[in-house]
């Protein structure tokens, strides 16, 4: 469950949606489990199913209309968050926001190749494309990710400098 949850969160950036994706994935796998002939390939099959669930979710029209600005309408109690007691430099959040700017197929390619550390051929099999497509999608995805990280880092640095002057 934990590796699936981490993969789902890496893909979508939302804990609640990640939980829904894992649940949908496990339901689909449960339905076909008796037909799986090679149990040693079950991990790859489950990852592929999770990826398919996420890509299907991205295609839904209501998902495109949803705004994911990351800004909550109300202020929460900072003392209630256990993560608040740990020193955190915000780099994970910065990476998450930058990944949101990478198109879905490229984001999936980057996450599978570099976070999940799958080979080019394994990634191509999961995404149902050629190895050349994986390489080009990974290169373009990394380029978009670098540009987004640079821009977001500049924005956060400028915002921090503005707050310190006031």
């Amino acid at each position: 469950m934990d590796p699936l949850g981490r993969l789902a969160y890496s893909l979508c950036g939302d804990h609640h949606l990640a939980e829904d994706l894992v649940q949908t994935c496990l339901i689909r796998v449960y339905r076909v489990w008796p037909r799986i002939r090679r149990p040693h390939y079950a991990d790859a099959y489950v990852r592929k199913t999770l990826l398919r669930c996420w890509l299907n979710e991205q295609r839904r029209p209501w998902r495109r209309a949803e705004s994911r600005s990351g800004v909550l309408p109300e202020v929460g109690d900072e003392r209630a968050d256990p993560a608040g007691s740990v020193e955190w430099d915000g780099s994970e959040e910065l990476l998450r926001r930058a990944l949101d700017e990478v198109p879905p197929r490229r984001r999936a390619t980057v996450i599978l190749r570099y976070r999940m550390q799958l080979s080019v051929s394994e990634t191509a099999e999961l995404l149902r494309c050629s190895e050349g497509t994986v390489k080009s999608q990974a290169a373009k995805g990394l380029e978009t990710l670098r540009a987004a990280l640079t821009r977001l880092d500049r924005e956060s640095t400028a915002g921090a400098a503005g707050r310190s002057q006031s």
Side-chain angles (χ1 to χ4, degrees), residues 7-102:
L7 175 58
Y9 180 75
S10 295
L11 290 168
C12 68
D14 179 4
H15 288 288
H16 300 291
L17 179 57
E19 289 174 4
D20 290 346
L21 289 172
V22 169
Q23 183 177 11
T24 303
C25 169
L26 292 176
I27 288 169
R28 289 184 182 183
V29 169
Y30 177 77
R31 288 180 185 157
V32 299
W33 190 255
R35 294 185 301 205
I36 294 179
R37 291 187 174 89
R38 298 182 186 140
H40 54 279
Y41 290 127
D43 287 342
Y45 182 80
V46 172
R47 278 195 308 264
K48 181 186 255 184
T49 303
L50 180 67
L51 180 65
R52 295 277 174 255
C53 291
W54 177 69
L55 289 172
N56 288 341
E57 188 70 23
Q58 293 300 303
R59 293 182 189 113
R60 296 206 169 121
W62 63 268
R63 177 67 63 195
R64 288 189 293 270
E66 184 177 292
S67 172
R68 291 184 47 207
S69 64
V71 179
L72 297 176
E74 58 192 54
V75 178
D77 183 5
E78 293 178 13
R79 295 171 291 163
D81 184 12
S85 62
V86 178
E87 285 296 320
W88 185 64
D89 65 353
S91 59
E92 184 72 25
E93 177 62 25
L94 184 69
L95 179 61
R96 176 77 258 145
R97 288 181 24 221
L99 272 171
D100 285 343
E101 295 185 19
V102 179

